[in-house]
Amino acid sequence: MTVFGIVLRKPTFDEITAATLLGIGLWMAGLGFAHASGQALDMRDAGALLLVSSWACIAVRIGLGVDQGSRHLAVNIAVIAVLLGLYDSAVALVA
């Protein structure tokens, strides 16, 4: 599949699982660093961090590495903006 001139690949279930676990690990490390620096995150910010770190890990598996050029970076930023907009809307509806 090609999107904006970027060839995407279909990752296996094991690759998605590994990327998700890596994203959760990076999220936990980010929470730890924030807590250690005295900048504790509230639940809303922690959820957004989980969403972004998980997407970043999965994006690499589907072929959207930010180090592969400006198109890859632009698509990643666009997807993250949409995900955070949806997340913010869902949190606003719940609260």
Side-chain angles (χ1 to χ4, degrees):
M1 174 182 212
T2 303
V3 175
F4 300 115
I6 301 169
V7 178
L8 301 178
R9 58 183 291 275
K10 183 178 179 184
T12 64
F13 178 78
D14 291 339
E15 289 177 327
I16 293 293
T17 303
T20 303
L21 289 175
L22 179 62
I24 291 170
L26 290 173
W27 172 66
M28 290 173 51
L31 291 178
F33 286 136
H35 181 72
S37 68
Q39 302 294 324
L41 302 174
D42 63 350
M43 290 191 63
R44 189 177 201 161
D45 292 338
L49 178 62
L50 175 62
L51 188 65
V52 170
S53 64
S54 296
W55 166 252
C57 293
I58 292 171
V60 171
R61 295 292 184 169
I62 63 173
L64 286 174
V66 296
D67 61 339
Q68 297 177 352
S70 59
R71 285 186 190 170
H72 292 262
L73 181 61
V75 169
N76 263 313
I77 290 172
V79 170
I80 287 172
V82 169
L83 287 174
L84 287 176
L86 292 172
Y87 174 74
D88 196 37
S89 299
V91 169
L93 286 175
V94 172

